[in-house]
């Protein structure tokens, strides 16, 4: 029975709901709502079109940038292209668009102790 419950919690709808919750709270800079949603090994790689450089951060740096107002705080439209799974991992491919930026992204989640945790983000950002 526990196995069936875990399988039900790891389905596409549960990951979609978790992803949208995280994005909404990043847009609203509600750090307290989402800090626990990031896996302790979280890392991201961000490429800003035309810059020729990749920027990377970890969970600590990302959360601090959110607290400092360097990122987030702008509502984005979300268009999910796909949600896929490999064992305990879930992958969300998405386009995000605000009034000032467009993002093509792939987020990786890990199903950890009964809940999804964001563990990796690869983002291509473009200023509008």
């Amino acid at each position: 029975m526990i196995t069936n419950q875990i399988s039900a919690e790891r389905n596409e709808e549960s990951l979609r709901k978790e992803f949208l919750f995280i994005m909404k709270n990043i847009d609203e800079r509600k750090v307290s709502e989402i800090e626990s949603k990031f896996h302790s090994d979280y890392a991201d790689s961000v490429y800003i079109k035309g810059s020729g450089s990749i920027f990377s951060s970890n969970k600590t740096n990302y959360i601090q940038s959110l607290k400092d107002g360097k990122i987030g705080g702008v509502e984005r439209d979300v268009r999910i292209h796909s949600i896929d799974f490999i064992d305990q991992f879930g992958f969300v491919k998405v386009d995000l668009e605000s009034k000032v930026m467009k993002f093509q992204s792939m987020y990786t989640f890990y199903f950890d102790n009964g809940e999804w945790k964001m563990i990796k983000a690869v983002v291509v950002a473009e200023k509008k």
Side-chain angles (χ1 to χ4, degrees):
M1 182 164 180
I2 292 174
T3 304
N4 291 338
Q5 182 180 1
I6 290 171
S7 295
E9 291 171 355
R10 282 196 323 221
N11 67 22
E12 184 174 331
E13 188 55 37
S14 73
L15 183 51
R16 177 186 307 274
K17 182 179 175 184
E18 192 68 21
F19 174 76
L20 292 172
F21 176 83
I22 291 170
M23 292 302 112
K24 180 180 187 303
N25 283 283
I26 288 171
D27 292 355
E28 296 175 3
R29 287 199 184 115
K30 292 183 179 176
V31 177
S32 62
E33 294 288 323
I34 58 165
E35 193 166 2
S36 67
K37 303 294 185 177
F38 285 75
H39 192 277
S40 59
D41 291 329
Y42 172 83
D44 62 29
S45 299
V46 179
Y47 171 73
I48 298 175
K49 283 190 177 184
S51 72
S53 300
I54 294 176
F55 304 93
S56 298
S57 69
N58 59 26
K59 178 181 178 177
T60 302
N61 293 341
Y62 186 91
I63 295 298
Q64 191 59 52
S65 292
L66 199 56
K67 287 178 181 176
D68 293 344
K70 293 178 182 176
I71 59 173
V74 178
E75 184 178 350
R76 297 171 291 178
D77 292 327
V78 177
R79 192 173 88 196
I80 296 174
H81 292 284
S82 64
I83 297 177
D84 295 302
F85 302 92
I86 299 174
D87 197 63
Q88 297 291 105
F89 291 95
F91 305 90
V92 180
K93 185 176 180 184
V94 64
D95 288 340
L96 304 167
E97 187 169 347
S98 72
K99 294 176 183 175
V100 294
M101 297 286 289
K102 290 167 53 171
F103 306 91
Q104 294 175 294
S105 308
M106 175 68 84
Y107 295 91
T108 303
F109 288 79
Y110 181 69
F111 197 72
D112 187 27
N113 292 319
E115 63 180 329
W116 291 108
K117 301 279 187 170
M118 190 174 352
I119 193 166
K120 180 73 179 164
V122 176
V123 178
V124 174
E126 181 179 9
K127 293 179 183 178
K128 290 174 97 175

